[in-house]
Amino acid sequence: MSNEQTEFSLSEKRLARQEGTNLPLTSLEPLHTEGNKLRPTMQDVAEMAGVSLKTVSRVVNKEASVTQATRERVEAVIKLLGFRRNDLARNLRQGQTSSTIGLVIEDIANPFYSQLAQGVEYVARRYNHMLILSNSEENPQREREQVSALSHRRVAGLLIVPAGSDHSYLKSEMERGTPVIFVDRPPANLDVDMILLDSYGGSYTAVKHLLCQGHRRIGLICGDPSVYTGSGRVAAYRTALTDWGIILEDDLLCFGCDDAEKAAAATHRLLNLPHPPTAVFTTSNRISVAVLRALRGITRRLAFVGFDDFELADMLPTPVTVIAHDAAEMGRQAAELLFARIQGDERPPQRVIIPTRLIMRGSGEIPPEG
């Protein structure tokens, strides 16, 4: 027999196994698997180590009923092949949850949601769990599809920023023991934990601040007013004006402006009114950025307060006054509550409100012209 060692790819070994033939097992040298799309299996480990599948399983699961010599041989083969146990498949076979949690948000490109996700992931790491992130794109059907996909992967728990208006479809999943936490917006037709932002209180503070500077014609540039956060911010705007005895004027209200072009068009429409506003309140970071771009080159000084802080807001020629909050803290609190539920917390559903604060930087303190 030649002293030259023959190496076989995993695909060759599996083909041989299917054909009922045996390949010679030489000394433990690494297999050339570059470009091989097949991952090594427990069967591959067992064949190379010359042991049974059960023995490999015992070594992988760190059971005591294996001799030291056998354990070392199997572990050496595992290292050489780069074998990794498929925990997800194992859990699915055993009907267990995986060491993962799912987060469904609107859009990770939005800084608010990326910060929220960072907060969730920070807590998940502490509990040795992985985070699976999914975007609903503000589409109710996609929300359900993503929740279903995560549920089929047996995630240990779900965090959802809802896009839909009916969440009773989650009842069966919750009855199977999957805890669910709603973030930023409450669910519909479901009694469950929720972590919400003080949208109403923050917006009331913003409009009141502009009123205190002497403004009486305040434009509102908002996204979808039917969404929970949007409706709360619009309601606060209306209430603040009413409390100050100011008649509401529909021509100062601009809805459906989540798109940058629509926000810019709304800004120009307000500025071209016969009696334009002297101040503007925007209801999200993305709308704020679009409006500020639309105001470039405008000589009229317009007071401005935006809901959500955003990057470089304090570096503009006139720093932007904002209603700020901690999105990462919202994510952390939501994840902490989720893991409490995973570990057996049976308190009634919790409703946690994340506070906001006014940061005065200059744009919101511009007095009305004239």
Side-chain angles (χ1 to χ4, degrees), residues 101-108 113-114 116-118 120 130-135 142 146 150 159:
I101 59 172
L103 171 62
V104 180
I105 59 175
E106 177 193 341
D107 181 7
I108 191 62
Y113 292 115
S114 60
L116 188 149
Q118 285 179 336
V120 173
M130 293 286 291
L131 173 64
I132 303 176
L133 182 64
S134 179
N135 297 311
R142 180 166 172 78
Q146 296 306 305
L150 290 168
L159 296 156

Side-chain angles (χ1 to χ4, degrees), residues 203 207 217-223 225 230-231 233-238 241 249-257 266-267 269-270 277 279-284 287 291 305:
S203 299
V207 179
R217 290 183 60 76
I218 302 172
L220 172 72
I221 303 181
C222 178
S231 64
R233 294 168 197 183
V234 173
Y237 167 89
R238 294 180 183 276
L241 293 181
E249 300 183 47
D250 289 341
D251 62 351
L252 295 178
L253 305 179
C254 303
F255 299 129
C257 299
T267 304
R269 184 184 73 77
L270 289 176
V280 170
F281 170 54
T282 58
T283 60
S284 77
I287 294 175
V291 171
V305 179

Side-chain angles (χ1 to χ4, degrees), residues 261-304:
E261 291 185 3
K262 292 179 180 178
T267 304
H268 293 303
R269 184 184 73 77
L270 289 176
L271 293 174
N272 290 323
L273 289 173
H275 300 288
T278 60
V280 170
F281 170 54
T282 58
T283 60
S284 77
N285 51 6
R286 283 186 160 180
I287 294 175
S288 295
V289 172
V291 171
L292 289 169
R293 284 177 176 158
L295 290 173
R296 285 182 302 180
I298 302 297
T299 56
R300 182 187 306 140
R301 296 195 75 202
L302 196 68
F304 184 96

Side-chain angles (χ1 to χ4, degrees), residues 8-10 12-14 16-17 21-26 47:
F8 298 89
S9 71
L10 295 181
E12 289 172 331
K13 286 173 64 62
R14 289 177 190 173
R17 191 163 64 227
T21 60
N22 292 316
L23 293 174
L25 291 176
T26 61
E47 287 189 1

Side-chain angles (χ1 to χ4, degrees), residues 204-205 207-216 218 236-248:
Y204 189 96
T205 297
V207 179
K208 179 183 175 182
H209 180 68
L210 291 169
L211 290 166
C212 288
Q213 308 307 309
H215 297 281
R216 296 297 179 266
I218 302 172
Y237 167 89
R238 294 180 183 276
T239 303
L241 293 181
T242 300
D243 289 348
W244 280 66
I246 297 173
I247 297 175
L248 298 172

